[in-house]
Amino acid sequence: MVLPTLAIVGRPNVGKSTIFNRMIGERISIVEDTPGVTRDRIYGKAEWLGREFALIDTGGIDIGDEPFLDQIADQAEIAIDEADVILFLTSVEAGVTDADEKVAQILYRADKPVVLAVNKVDNPERRQDIYDFYSLGFGEPYPISGTHGIGLGDVLDAVFAGFPAEGSGDDDDSIKFSFIGRPNVGKSSLVNAILGEERVIVSPIEGTTRDAIDTKFTHGDQEFTMIDTAGIRKRGKVYENTEKYAVMRALRAIDRSDVVLVVLNAEEGIREQDKKVAGYAHEAGRGIIIVVNKWDTLKEKDNHTMQEFEAHIRSEFQYLEYAPIVFVSAKTKQRLQNLPGMIQTVSENQNRRIQSAVLNDVLLDALAVTPTPTINGKRLRIYYMTQVAVKPPTFVVFVNDPDLLHFSYERFLINQLRQTFDFEGTPIHLIARNRK
């Protein structure tokens, strides 16, 4: 399910980055008492009362002649377009300014729920100064202090009242999958080749695809939803506002996906950015298939080329040892007919449930083959195992002391599960709990 999204919007120097950092719980945005410091949108995830939401910090909007103001306004417009609810942030120190009026005009056009907050209300005397902000036309202004965290609970309650109802969104039975990767690896070409028709603009220019595009199709009896995403570029190389927007859409596409296809370029080989891109999907617990595109462009192939390339991938992506690899060509459609079946298999493996009795038979065999280790004179004892979740398959082992489960023995147990059951394409989570 797509996380509801809150965008923090306002003129420069009202404390947007401070509020963002408060909500995220860590210092991500640069905080400086100078207008216009935050020139790029910053994205993150936050939580309120047990429910997660996505958060966008924007650069300020102003009507003066400061550098970057046009670009900042563009970024804010994009963030507003992406948000479910907008937090309109003002400052009690300056009162209602012409720039605040400018922001209000932009927000009137957005047709989104808006929560108005007045920042820097650090003492009771300043609360008397918030009433002027009713003139902005967004109802009751909420007095807050980003520095001290005062009033944020009331603001978040109002924000969540404007979010879509929990559970709304993607509720169909199709298998959702997305292509992710660096720009120009051929993701859009793969979409078109699978569909057999030109549904997505294809161009050799990096970054042509700016948005995530959903396309439904049926293969056999199974319905799929294909999500094409813009390429994810190195953080330091993202110059255009739309590039940062594309990164956010790609990350949100991963959140929506059951299976993620990590696309590599056979011509260029593996780049450091490929590992980071794949890491997004791995950390999200999604099913993963590694797709090596443009295989037809390699001129000097022999019987060992594919094996050598696969060995190189396994060496560079050691954390994805579970992910199947397929070598394809969007241009010639080589092996593309295999992808829908692979995606369906990985999705089934992501949803696989194993009965506790069967799991504990496997556990007993594993303990017999490789007894538990002893750490500092104390032996790990594993009493039983049970599965508690799917997507990804998640197992709990009850032990005498969770600190005694070394990562190497945890990896051994996960490998035993993989050898016994078909979990190809999906990560496995193993959690140790004290039996008491």
Side-chain angles (χ1 to χ4, degrees):
M1 186 183 73
V2 181
L3 293 178
T5 301
L6 171 67
I8 305 174
V9 177
R11 63 178 175 81
N13 206 32
V14 292
K16 294 183 297 299
S17 295
T18 301
I19 297 297
F20 177 90
N21 292 336
R22 275 277 179 186
M23 291 183 178
I24 292 292
E26 52 187 292
R27 193 181 176 93
I28 297 176
S29 285
I30 300 170
V31 178
E32 186 175 322
D33 193 23
T34 305
V37 169
T38 304
R39 291 174 181 155
D40 296 315
R41 294 183 318 283
I42 309 294
Y43 311 101
K45 290 182 181 178
E47 183 179 302
W48 177 242
L49 299 179
R51 187 180 174 191
E52 280 192 330
F53 63 99
L55 190 61
I56 307 173
D57 179 21
T58 70
I61 304 174
D62 206 340
I63 56 176
D65 297 323
E66 294 290 331
F68 302 104
L69 290 180
D70 286 343
Q71 296 93 320
I72 288 171
D74 289 342
Q75 294 174 24
E77 292 267 17
I78 291 172
I80 289 167
D81 181 61
E82 186 64 24
D84 296 301
V85 175
I86 298 158
L87 177 59
F88 180 11
L89 196 63
T90 60
S91 170
V92 74
E93 289 182 341
V96 179
T97 67
D98 290 343
D100 291 326
E101 298 282 359
K102 170 81 170 181
V103 175
Q105 291 174 14
I106 295 174
L107 296 184
Y108 293 148
R109 301 194 303 268
D111 194 28
K112 297 283 181 73
V114 175
V115 176
L116 174 62
V118 183
N119 194 22
K120 306 183 183 181
V121 183
D122 300 320
N123 56 64
E125 290 75 18
R126 282 188 165 180
R127 293 179 68 93
Q128 305 302 316
D129 299 327
I130 70 170
Y131 298 104
D132 291 342
F133 292 88
Y134 275 97
S135 65
L136 293 172
F138 292 105
E140 179 183 359
Y142 288 85
I144 64 172
S145 169
T147 303
H148 301 100
I150 299 170
L152 289 183
D154 292 338
V155 166
L156 286 171
D157 284 342
V159 165
F160 269 80
F163 278 154
E166 192 167 8
S168 63
D170 298 323
D171 56 359
D172 62 274
D173 295 328
S174 66
I175 297 174
K176 300 174 184 65
F177 69 95
S178 58
F179 292 95
I180 66 170
R182 291 182 293 110
N184 211 31
V185 294
K187 298 182 298 299
S188 296
S189 298
L190 285 169
V191 171
N192 295 332
I194 289 175
L195 293 175
E197 56 187 320
E198 296 293 320
R199 287 283 187 90
V200 182
I201 297 171
V202 180
S203 167
I205 301 172
E206 288 189 356
T208 299
T209 305
R210 300 299 192 189
D211 215 338
I213 303 169
D214 289 8
T215 308
K216 288 187 180 292
F217 70 96
T218 301
H219 181 82
D221 297 329
Q222 179 62 54
E223 185 178 51
F224 296 86
T225 299
M226 181 159 50
I227 307 166
D228 178 39
T229 65
I232 303 176
R233 303 183 68 175
K234 284 187 179 180
R235 192 178 296 266
K237 289 188 176 181
V238 184
Y239 297 116
E240 298 177 61
N241 305 335
T242 46
E243 289 287 0
K244 279 191 174 290
Y245 178 54
V247 172
M248 181 182 69
R249 296 306 299 267
L251 297 182
R252 294 190 69 182
I254 290 172
D255 285 339
R256 293 181 52 211
S257 299
D258 302 307
V259 180
V260 171
L261 281 69
V262 179
V263 184
L264 307 179
N265 187 331
E267 286 183 296
E268 299 176 354
I270 299 170
R271 305 283 181 85
E272 189 63 29
Q273 182 66 0
D274 291 321
K275 302 177 188 177
K276 295 180 180 179
V277 168
Y280 289 133
H282 174 71
E283 290 169 8
R286 300 299 182 257
I288 297 178
I289 299 171
I290 299 175
V291 179
V292 183
N293 191 25
K294 306 186 182 182
W295 191 245
D296 60 300
T297 60
L298 297 188
K299 304 303 181 184
E300 300 180 1
K301 294 196 292 275
D302 58 31
N303 295 334
H304 304 290
T305 305
M306 189 177 292
Q307 292 179 345
E308 291 170 355
F309 206 110
E310 182 170 344
H312 183 49
I313 290 173
R314 295 301 182 197
S315 173
E316 295 293 325
F317 294 87
Q318 294 185 15
Y319 61 94
L320 294 182
E321 77 282 354
Y322 57 84
I325 302 172
V326 59
F327 297 83
V328 304
S329 167
K331 184 176 181 180
T332 67
K333 299 191 177 182
Q334 183 182 20
R335 300 187 191 87
L336 285 186
Q337 73 277 5
N338 299 336
L339 283 181
M342 294 178 69
I343 294 167
Q344 187 171 354
T345 297
V346 170
S347 178
E348 290 170 354
N349 294 344
Q350 271 255 299
N351 289 279
R352 189 174 306 285
R353 286 191 178 273
I354 311 298
Q355 292 181 348
S356 294
V358 178
L359 277 177
N360 285 285
D361 287 341
V362 174
L363 177 61
L364 289 174
D365 291 342
L367 295 174
V369 171
T370 304
T372 56
T374 299
I375 299 177
N376 295 328
K378 190 174 182 181
R379 177 174 290 279
L380 170 69
R381 297 188 182 279
I382 302 178
Y383 301 109
Y384 59 98
M385 176 189 295
T386 187
Q387 184 173 359
V388 295
V390 295
K391 299 175 67 173
T394 303
F395 302 88
V396 171
V397 288
F398 290 89
V399 300
N400 58 332
D401 185 349
D403 292 336
L404 296 177
L405 182 60
H406 192 266
F407 75 88
S408 59
Y409 201 80
E410 176 184 341
R411 187 171 56 208
F412 163 72
L413 292 177
I414 289 175
N415 288 338
Q416 294 301 302
L417 291 172
R418 291 196 182 279
Q419 291 174 18
T420 308
F421 311 105
D422 186 2
F423 285 120
E424 184 182 32
T426 178
I428 293 176
H429 291 174
L430 191 67
I431 302 169
R433 292 275 170 78
N434 193 301
R435 185 172 65 169
K436 295 179 182 179

